[in-house]
Amino acid sequence: MSDVTLDRRGSTPAVPIVSPRELLPYALFAGVLMMLLIFFVGAEEGATSIIGGHSVHEFVHDARHLLGFPCH
Ligand SMILES: [Zn+2]
């Protein structure tokens, strides 16, 4: 048996109502992950490098060029 709740007619699944307060922790977590991703793609080299060496830079090199960050 499915966990999907059906509306009164029983033909279409009901859309769950999610308040912004319930959504806030997930939005913050997604925002932090996106900022980390943008940092590693756009700024993880040279003086702003957290991880030594060129491994992270080379791993995200194509994404860096795709998004237009300055590289070389
Ligand atoms: Zn490059």
Side-chain angles (χ1 to χ4, degrees), residues 1-50:
M1 194 72 188
S2 171
D3 290 339
V4 175
T5 306
L6 300 178
D7 67 359
R8 280 185 236 152
R9 292 173 291 173
S11 59
T12 58
V15 176
I17 298 172
V18 180
S19 71
R21 185 175 296 271
E22 291 174 330
L23 200 59
L24 184 63
Y26 300 102
L28 287 174
F29 182 65
V32 168
L33 285 181
M34 289 295 125
M35 288 172 57
L36 273 174
L37 183 65
I38 288 174
F39 170 78
F40 278 110
V41 170
E44 172 61 27
E45 74 172 333
T48 59
S49 179
I50 293 175

Side-chain angles (χ1 to χ4, degrees), residues 57 61 64-65 70-72:
H57 177 83
H61 191 246
R64 176 185 299 261
H65 282 274
C71 185
H72 48 85

